[in-house]
Amino acid sequence: MVLQYVFFLTIFSCAAVAYGFDVKGLQPLQPNGVFSTFSTSTNQAGVFSTQFELEQSVDPTFYQINSSLSFAATDEIEASATIPYHLKTGESGFEDAAIGIKYRFIEEGQYSPSVAALLAGALPTGRDVVGTNGSIGGGLIASKKIGPFKTHANALVYHPFKHDLGTEVDLMLGAELQAANNLSVLTEVQTKKSDDVNRFDYWDWKIGYRFRPLDFLYTTLSAGYGFKTRSPDLHIFLSFTIIYPPAGKILKYIYEEEKE
């Protein structure tokens, strides 16, 4: 645990000029994603997850606080929601609350990836300066294990309800490498066509790690560096994810039933 906070402070001390945040939207919960990139993985049926994430950029200072939760209805279907809070002088407030359903309809084969569909939308709950009056969208998610890496690709499209905004397109590629039994190294590349332009104007790269100190807890720490209309944006992320019931309890319960 000490190493992750040393890493956090190192990144913080090196942070340079940063600018604002885009609308956050629906976010994956660990370990079923890489930062903003969804994986096709879902928790076991009946499992709840809740996640709290803090994103920060420096000089001037912006904060993004994201609260998320999910519930696995079956082993292939998972519903989730994200409530982002944007914190900046003159622009603070809740963004639109996002909800979504992920359905994995193709399992991974020897040479083929697993594939899932994501149906997502946002409710018009945010302030005008940080909201889009709601939205509707979704897309496809593909995951494949390649050597020691688990890779994930997303192609997502969202149409905001605010009349003066256009369609947003998100393309993401994430990878994770299990470095130890409870530690994974994560990286992600993202490009986005924002809802106020007609070109891909945002590019972002993140790197970090996910640590599992307890059966029910994941801690993720990362740093990201992005460009939007030639403005650099260096930001850091820290998140905590709690899963209930823990995987250990589920496995123990199954074992006891079989033993009987």
Side-chain angles (χ1 to χ4, degrees), residues 82-84 95-99 121-126:
T82 299
I83 302 176
E95 293 184 8
D96 296 336
I99 56 176
L123 305 175
T125 57

Side-chain angles (χ1 to χ4, degrees), residues 228-248:
K228 182 174 183 180
T229 59
R230 298 186 180 180
S231 295
D233 180 9
L234 182 60
H235 39 262
I236 50 179
F237 302 81
L238 177 64
S239 73
F240 299 93
T241 308
I242 297 174
I243 297 176
Y244 185 84

Side-chain angles (χ1 to χ4, degrees), residues 76-88:
E76 297 81 23
I77 300 176
E78 191 169 69
S80 59
T82 299
I83 302 176
Y85 186 82
H86 184 93
L87 186 58
K88 176 188 174 185

Side-chain angles (χ1 to χ4, degrees), residues 218-233:
Y218 288 91
T219 302
T220 306
L221 181 64
S222 67
Y225 190 75
F227 282 91
K228 182 174 183 180
T229 59
R230 298 186 180 180
S231 295
D233 180 9

Side-chain angles (χ1 to χ4, degrees), residues 3-23:
L3 290 177
Q4 63 189 10
Y5 294 110
V6 171
F7 180 73
F8 178 85
L9 292 173
T10 301
I11 295 298
F12 181 86
S13 64
C14 295
V17 178
Y19 299 85
F21 294 88
D22 284 332
V23 174

Side-chain angles (χ1 to χ4, degrees), residues 6-234:
V6 171
F7 180 73
F8 178 85
L9 292 173
T10 301
I11 295 298
F12 181 86
S13 64
C14 295
V17 178
Y19 299 85
F21 294 88
D22 284 332
V23 174
K24 199 68 177 178
L26 188 68
Q27 296 296 297
L29 283 78
Q30 301 298 327
N32 300 325
V34 177
F35 310 131
S36 296
T37 303
F38 290 87
S39 76
T40 60
S41 300
T42 56
N43 291 325
Q44 292 181 344
V47 172
F48 286 90
S49 293
T50 182
Q51 180 171 286
F52 178 82
E53 178 188 68
L54 172 65
E55 177 181 355
Q56 180 180 1
S57 58
V58 185
D59 192 24
T61 300
F62 300 86
Y63 293 95
Q64 186 88 34
I65 303 171
N66 305 305
S67 301
S68 301
L69 57 88
S70 72
F71 173 70
T74 70
D75 288 347
E76 297 81 23
I77 300 176
E78 191 169 69
S80 59
T82 299
I83 302 176
Y85 186 82
H86 184 93
L87 186 58
K88 176 188 174 185
T89 303
E91 295 182 6
S92 298
F94 285 101
E95 293 184 8
D96 296 336
I99 56 176
I101 296 178
K102 181 172 65 175
Y103 170 48
R104 185 177 65 256
F105 59 92
I106 297 178
E107 299 293 342
E108 183 174 343
Q110 183 175 1
Y111 302 106
S112 59
S114 58
V115 182
L118 178 68
L119 177 62
L123 305 175
T125 57
R127 288 188 58 195
D128 287 342
V129 292
V130 290
T132 63
N133 198 33
S135 64
I136 187 73
L140 292 176
I141 304 164
S143 297
K144 184 74 176 78
K145 192 173 188 303
I146 303 175
F149 295 93
K150 293 180 180 178
T151 58
H152 316 287
N154 294 183
L156 308 174
V157 178
Y158 298 100
H159 182 72
F161 295 147
K162 187 176 286 188
H163 65 85
D164 57 345
L165 296 177
T167 300
E168 177 185 310
V169 180
D170 290 338
L171 302 177
M172 290 172 279
L173 182 64
E176 50 186 301
L177 172 65
Q178 188 167 349
N181 185 48
N182 59 351
L183 179 68
S184 296
V185 179
L186 312 175
T187 188
E188 172 187 277
V189 177
Q190 177 184 15
T191 182
K192 177 188 295 187
K193 186 193 85 66
S194 302
D195 50 30
D196 56 349
V197 297
N198 291 319
R199 66 185 186 281
F200 285 91
D201 69 328
Y202 181 76
W203 299 81
D204 186 71
W205 173 68
K206 301 184 185 76
I207 188 169
Y209 67 90
R210 179 172 62 224
F211 179 58
R212 186 182 183 184
L214 301 168
D215 285 342
F216 61 88
L217 177 64
Y218 288 91
T219 302
T220 306
L221 181 64
S222 67
Y225 190 75
F227 282 91
K228 182 174 183 180
T229 59
R230 298 186 180 180
S231 295
D233 180 9
L234 182 60

